[in-house]
């Protein structure tokens, strides 16, 4: 899920999570939508083997400060299908699960009409 520009999701006490700018832009839209509705939820993602493997889950709540810090100077174009897959996952028991854009496109392509 790595891009040229790596931004940061800064949460709560200032804990920073490095996420590429393109994925972070999509997370910002989905997280913002849920927080506007005053919903609390988990956001989860996996680390690549290069990052040491493992998973991260963060409880996101309207009462906790959150910041999206982008490194690139230009906002990436948003992929509606990726946004839909991320938003759909946010209503499941695991919460919002960040997957790659390619994986989201694959899920959309395999959906039954």
């Amino acid at each position: 899920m790595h891009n040229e520009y790596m931004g940061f999701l800064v949460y709560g006490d200032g804990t920073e999570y490095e996420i590429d700018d393109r994925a972070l832009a999509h997370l910002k839209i989905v997280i913002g939508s849920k927080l506007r509705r005053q919903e609390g939820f988990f956001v989860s993602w996996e680390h690549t083997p290069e990052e040491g493997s493992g998973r991260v889950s963060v409880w996101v709540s309207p009462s906790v400060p959150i910041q999206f810090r982008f490194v690139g100077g230009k906002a990436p174009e948003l992929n509606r299908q990726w946004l839909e897959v991320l938003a759909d996952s946010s209503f499941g028991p695991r919460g919002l699960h960040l997957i790659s854009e390619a994986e989201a496109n694959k899920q959309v392509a395999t959906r039954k009409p």
Side-chain angles (χ1 to χ4, degrees), residues 8-26:
F8 295 90
L9 173 68
V10 184
Y11 191 68
D13 62 357
T15 302
E16 295 184 343
Y17 301 97
E18 189 175 41
I19 300 174
D20 77 74
D21 273 8
R22 184 159 175 73
L24 192 59
H26 286 76

Side-chain angles (χ1 to χ4, degrees), residues 11-91:
Y11 191 68
D13 62 357
T15 302
E16 295 184 343
Y17 301 97
E18 189 175 41
I19 300 174
D20 77 74
D21 273 8
R22 184 159 175 73
L24 192 59
H26 286 76
L27 278 178
K28 176 184 160 190
I29 298 299
V30 177
I31 289 172
S33 176
K34 292 190 73 68
L35 291 177
R36 276 191 295 280
R37 292 190 301 267
Q38 297 297 307
E39 296 175 14
F41 55 98
F42 278 108
V43 176
S44 303
W45 62 90
E46 284 85 30
H47 287 293
T48 65
E50 298 82 34
E51 298 170 313
S53 298
R55 298 183 311 271
V56 175
S57 289
V58 177
W59 178 253
V60 177
S61 167
S63 65
V64 180
I66 190 167
Q67 180 184 83
F68 302 88
R69 195 169 74 224
F70 299 93
V71 176
K74 184 179 175 194
E77 187 174 324
L78 297 174
N79 175 334
R80 284 190 187 275
Q81 292 179 329
W82 195 8
L83 288 170
E84 288 174 15
V85 169
L86 293 174
D88 288 349
S89 77
S90 75
F91 294 104

